[in-house]
Structure formats: structure tokens, C-alpha cells
Amino acid sequence: MPTAAETAAPADAVDVIAEDLRRRFDATRVSFLIVDLTGKAVARLSTAAAESERETERIPLFGSVYEKVIRTQRLYQEATGQGQRVISPVTNRGDAIGLLELLLPTAPGEDVLDEVGEAAHILAYVVIANGRFTDLYTWGKRSRPPTLAAEIQYQLLPPSLSCEAAQFTLCGNLEPSEDLSGDSFDY
């Protein structure tokens, strides 16, 4: 899986992983959802399904299962009328990048859940590495186009606002003003 994603075009790398997971687990749907910069929504950037094309939908976070998975950083599983829904956090060193969502035909065993969690971790690295070469992930993080001033200011921020390691946890916070004149950023 990582080799195929590495040889794919940067904008297609997530789709390659989604297609691999769809085949490996006989999933009827595999999606990557990226967290919006506002923290209020996720955007479905990639969907591998037997007969569907890429979707780009925005889903409000507040009160949703997606919010729960992002906040707890724990895999979520539930039975639905269409199969077993599994949602795993896509995180790198405390930076919540998004979610990996699968719809499986039957209840997965612990081994499958472990593999989904591992794939979500690999997906975090794929998004980070390929983000330098495509604007797909940047676009997905934005619920509306930024002004030129906002784009310049955003580019001056660190690429990740958090970092976790055994020795420390570091987290930044951006408090944007309405018109970009009173923003503050602090660790």
C-alpha cells in the first residue's frame, strides 16, 4: 500500500490507499475526511466505492460521530443498515488531520480493526508528505476561499499546530479575528 501511494500522483495518493482498503477488506465504501481549519466541519476528499466517483461534501462536526472520533482519538464502530461502519482517526503526533471511514459487509475482527488503525496512521504520513505537492488537502481544509491577506498570514504559521512525543506535548492555538486585523497565535 505505501509503495503504490508513493508512486501515485500526489492528488491521487489517498485514493490509492482507499482503493487498496476497499479491495483488502471487501469494503463497499472507503472515505478520507479532512478536518476543516475552522474545526467546525470535515470535508470528504476521497471515496473509493464499487461504482462511485470522488465526492466533495462538507459535514458539520458538532454533535456528530466524527467529532467524537476526533476528540477521543479512538476508533469507532457501529452496525448500520448497509453494513459495519468503522471510523478511525488520521493523526500524526497529536495533529488531528482527519478521519478514515469504511463501510464493511460484516463485523470486523480485532485483526481487521488493527489494520484499519494502521492504515489511518500511514494515511496521515501520506497526506503530510503529499501536501507539499498538491493543493487538494489545503482546499479541503477551507470552507470558503481565503482573502489574499488571510492566505499570506496562514502561510506564515507552522504547518502543524500540535506535536506529541514521549517527552512533551506542544499545542498551538489560532484565534482569528473576523477581518484579519486582530489575530493571535500562541503555543
Side-chain angles (χ1 to χ4, degrees):
M1 170 179 47
T3 303
E6 191 172 47
T7 59
D12 297 332
V14 171
D15 285 334
V16 168
I17 290 175
E19 185 59 29
D20 176 71
L21 293 171
R22 187 190 67 75
R23 277 193 223 111
R24 196 164 17 141
F25 301 123
D26 201 27
T28 54
R29 183 176 176 146
V30 179
S31 301
F32 170 59
L33 299 100
I34 195 163
V35 178
D36 188 288
L37 283 174
T38 65
K40 296 178 182 177
V42 289
R44 190 179 307 273
L45 292 187
S46 174
T47 300
E51 298 178 17
S52 80
E53 303 258 336
R54 177 183 294 181
E55 295 178 23
T56 53
E57 72 177 293
R58 295 205 180 268
I59 304 163
L61 268 180
F62 295 123
S64 72
V65 67
Y66 300 123
E67 179 186 37
K68 179 181 178 181
V69 173
I70 288 169
R71 292 204 189 285
T72 64
Q73 288 296 294
R74 297 195 188 279
L75 188 132
Y76 174 84
Q77 178 185 352
E78 73 175 343
T80 70
Q82 301 172 351
Q84 292 287 320
R85 181 180 181 199
V86 176
I87 304 170
S88 182
V90 175
T91 304
N92 177 272
R93 293 199 173 266
D95 187 15
I97 296 166
L99 303 158
L100 176 62
E101 181 177 35
L102 292 85
L103 190 58
L104 304 173
T106 59
E110 285 300 315
D111 57 332
V112 170
L113 295 177
D114 288 345
E115 287 184 52
V116 169
E118 184 178 309
H121 188 68
I122 291 169
L123 186 56
Y125 285 99
V126 168
V127 170
I128 290 167
N130 285 295
R132 299 178 300 157
F133 307 113
T134 178
D135 62 354
L136 175 68
Y137 312 115
T138 302
W139 170 85
K141 291 179 182 181
R142 296 183 173 149
S143 52
R144 60 188 167 106
T147 63
L148 177 59
E151 179 64 28
I152 291 169
Q153 189 168 27
Y154 178 72
Q155 293 300 320
L156 294 173
L157 293 173
S160 174
L161 299 182
S162 56
C163 180
E164 264 182 12
Q167 304 83 358
F168 66 90
T169 298
L170 180 67
C171 187
N173 187 42
L174 174 65
E175 184 67 35
S177 71
E178 192 63 30
D179 293 319
L180 208 78
S181 59
D183 300 329
S184 69
F185 175 77
D186 196 9
Y187 277 107

